Amino acid sequence: MAICGQSTKPSSSGSSLRSVPSEERAAHEHSGRCILVAEDDADDVFLLRRAWRKASLLHRLMDVADGIMAVGFLSGRPPFDDRARYPFPELLLLDLNLPKMNGFDVLAWLKERPDMNALPVVVLSSSSMEAGRELAMRLGAREFVTKPGDVNELIALLRSLHERWLVDDRAVPQSLSVAQEQARVESMV
C-alpha cells in the first residue's frame, strides 16, 4: 500500500485498497519507516491502528489479510512490485492464524530467504501456547507476544516494540520495559 493507514485487503466495494481520512494520510504519508502487519481480523487491525495513533508513532503502517499477500508484499511480486508505493518493511508484525498461508508457513518461507534474514518478525498471537511460541522462535521470529486485550496495554506494547526494533540505539537511551511503559501510559490517562 502506498499510504499509511490504507490496507491491501479488498473492501466491500471491490477496491483493492481501503481508504482512510485524508488528515491521517497527510500526517503519515512520508514519515517514518514501513511496518507490515499480516493480520486477517479487521477488528484487530482497527485496534492496532488506533493504538498506533495514540502511541504517536509516525511510521507507515501497512496491512495484508493473509499469508500469501504477506509473502507477495515481502518478495515484491505484483501488485506489490512498486517499492515506492510498497516499500520493504523494517518490521513485520505477524499473526499466526492467517488464511491461505498461516504465519508458521510465512516464517518458514522467510527462513529460506537469506536476503530477508535481517527483517525482524514479531509474532502477535491470540494464543499463548508454548508449542506455538517455540516453533515460531525456531522458524526465526525475534519475539512472540500475546495480543493484549486492552488498548492501553497495546499502546505500551507498540511503544516497546518501536524502541526495540525501529529506533537507532545510538541516538536513544535505554527503552522502558513493557510494564514501565504501560504504567507511564496509564498515569497519563
Side-chain angles (χ1 to χ4, degrees):
M1 114 180 45
I3 300 169
C4 174
Q6 287 185 341
S7 171
T8 55
K9 292 190 257 189
S11 70
S12 58
S13 66
S15 168
S16 63
L17 296 176
R18 181 173 50 204
S19 63
V20 295
S22 60
E23 63 274 5
E24 184 179 345
R25 285 194 309 261
H28 298 290
E29 190 170 49
H30 299 291
S31 62
R33 298 172 175 183
C34 174
I35 290 78
L36 179 62
V37 178
E39 172 62 66
D40 65 318
D41 187 310
D43 291 335
D44 284 353
V45 172
F46 174 81
L47 290 174
L48 185 69
R49 287 188 181 287
R50 182 173 178 212
W52 198 261
R53 283 189 306 272
K54 286 184 176 240
S56 300
L57 300 174
L58 299 178
H59 305 298
R60 295 171 63 180
L61 189 63
M62 302 181 185
D63 65 281
V64 292
D66 62 56
I68 290 174
M69 290 176 74
V71 167
F73 190 104
L74 293 169
S75 61
R77 282 189 242 142
F80 307 109
D81 52 342
D82 180 356
R83 283 300 187 201
R85 292 184 66 201
Y86 305 102
F88 189 82
E90 294 192 41
L91 177 64
L92 171 59
L93 302 178
L94 179 66
D95 182 36
L96 293 176
N97 295 319
L98 294 171
K100 299 182 183 177
M101 181 181 194
N102 69 38
F104 294 115
D105 292 335
V106 172
L107 286 168
W109 178 83
L110 281 167
K111 190 173 179 112
E112 298 296 318
R113 300 289 309 258
D115 57 322
M116 295 187 192
N117 67 2
L119 174 65
V121 179
V122 175
V123 171
L124 291 178
S125 178
S126 53
S127 169
S128 59
M129 298 285 294
E130 189 59 34
R133 175 185 306 270
E134 288 174 11
L135 179 56
M137 299 303 281
R138 237 185 357 261
L139 289 171
R142 306 278 176 90
E143 289 187 52
F144 186 104
V145 181
T146 303
K147 294 176 187 175
D150 176 76
V151 72
N152 289 326
E153 292 174 11
L154 185 55
I155 291 167
L157 172 64
L158 292 175
R159 285 182 175 155
S160 179
L161 291 175
H162 172 265
E163 291 293 318
R164 284 195 299 282
W165 300 110
L166 298 170
V167 175
D168 183 357
D169 291 334
R170 293 165 288 168
V172 177
Q174 182 88 11
S175 65
L176 298 174
S177 71
V178 172
Q180 290 170 321
E181 180 65 14
Q182 182 178 351
R184 187 183 74 75
V185 168
E186 288 171 356
S187 70
M188 294 171 30
V189 176

